[in-house]
Each structure stands twice: as structure tokens, then as C-alpha cells.
Amino acid sequence: TPPFDPTEFEAKVDRTVGKLLFENNLGDHSVYSGVAGGNQFATIWVRDFCHATGGLLLKPSWRIGSKDVPSRQIVLSTLKEILSLIQDGEDDSKIKIPRALDSLGPHEDLLTFKVLKGGADLKKKVVWPFGEKDPGVGMQQFPSGKMYGYFKGEAGASETCDAGYLLILAFTRVAPLLND
């Protein structure tokens, strides 16, 4: 076993995380964000993103394309986009937080289709004997264009029960880094 090299480890983390970060230019603003992986995971899953903020904020900035983007900007732009897609019900007790954000279109079934298709494509790549060594290669299709909130989950769940808590956690992580 070769000795642990912290510099090599940091470079590997940068390369790996860098593959999961993207910019979505929406005309009047850009959303800098990250996804959990390729296939069906190339969607902004609110829970995953909120959990990831702890790691994202450990570095002052991350490389997205040719830009060096401050980590607080990545976290804040995604949190603002999530907040813009929260739905108010008839009264304050009916607020719904999206489970996921993507640019697939306004119909909930589009996300379900993406997840099912991505799972099938991944299974095909892993099972097929001549498949890719890295099954995620070439399968990332980051959100691009207008963002939509998707609320339906497995077994008819309308939202994730801990989404509100996780949003608060993400905001408390980024708040000390804000100067204005």
C-alpha cells in the first residue's frame, strides 16, 4: 500500500467534485450548483445539496468550467433558487419544499421518467460485459435553462419531511461567510 499523500488526495477531491459542479445561466442570474452524480442524479436533489454544503464550504472556491467560483456563491445561488420554487398552499401550514430542481419542464412525471431511464441506462452499462469502466461517463446532463421544482416522491410522498431543517442547516453554514 502506497503512503497517504494529502496533496494527491486533495487533487483527487477537486477533480471529483469538479465533475459534479455546473453553472446554469438563466439570463438575469446564474445558478451555480452541484449534483450527486450522473444518470438520474444529475438533478439538484435538495436533501443531497443541503448535506453537501458542509463539504463545499470547506474550500474558499471551486472551479466550474473556466471560472473560480466562491463556495458561498455556489451555496447561496442554489439556496435562493430552492427558495424561489417553494410553493405556498392555501395557508401557511401548507408550504411545500421541492425534493428536486431540474430544467426538464413543469410536469412532475418528467423527473420520474429521468430517474427510471437513468437507472435502466446505468444497469445496462454495468451489466453489459463491455461497458464503461466508469458507468457515469458521458451521462451527466446538468440542468440548463429555466428551473422547476419537483415535489412528488416515492410512494406518493409530497415532500421530504426533513427538507425545512436541512435548508436551515445549509443557511447556518453559509451565514458566517457573508459580509453584507
Side-chain angles (χ1 to χ4, degrees):
T1 304
F4 177 72
D5 180 353
T7 305
E8 185 178 315
F9 180 72
E10 183 177 2
K12 185 173 185 171
V13 168
D14 285 347
R15 285 191 307 275
T16 302
V17 173
K19 291 178 185 179
L20 302 175
L21 299 175
F22 68 95
E23 176 184 7
N24 182 5
N25 188 332
L26 298 171
D28 61 336
H29 69 285
S30 285
V31 175
Y32 296 96
S33 194
V35 298
N39 301 303
Q40 68 269 37
F41 302 110
T43 290
I44 302 169
W45 294 95
V46 172
R47 294 182 77 244
D48 294 343
F49 183 81
C50 289
H51 281 298
T53 58
L56 286 172
L57 293 169
L58 287 176
K59 285 183 57 162
S61 64
W62 292 91
R63 201 98 177 121
I64 299 180
S66 61
K67 298 178 182 176
D68 197 34
V69 182
S71 58
R72 70 179 179 277
Q73 187 175 359
I74 297 168
V75 171
L76 279 176
S77 70
T78 302
L79 291 175
K80 287 177 182 177
E81 199 66 22
I82 294 167
L83 289 179
S84 76
L85 295 169
I86 289 176
Q87 292 181 351
D88 292 336
E90 285 77 304
D91 58 58
D92 289 335
S93 66
K94 303 276 185 180
I95 293 173
K96 292 192 334 188
I97 299 169
R99 297 168 57 85
L101 278 61
D102 210 321
S103 57
L104 303 169
H107 303 290
E108 290 277 346
D109 292 340
L110 293 171
L111 182 63
T112 301
F113 177 74
K114 180 179 180 178
V115 169
L116 293 174
K117 182 180 179 314
D121 289 345
L122 179 62
K123 181 76 171 174
K124 180 176 67 177
K125 282 186 137 191
V126 172
V127 173
W128 184 250
F130 306 108
E132 293 284 338
K133 194 172 188 180
D134 178 359
V137 169
M139 296 190 77
Q140 295 152 317
Q141 293 184 0
F142 296 127
S144 176
K146 181 179 178 172
M147 301 292 279
Y148 297 90
Y150 301 93
F151 298 87
K152 285 188 199 171
E154 302 82 20
S158 63
E159 67 177 315
T160 305
C161 63
D162 60 355
Y165 164 76
L166 290 170
L167 283 172
I168 292 169
L169 179 64
F171 274 109
T172 60
R173 287 175 172 161
V174 75
L177 304 174
L178 304 177
N179 298 333
D180 47 14

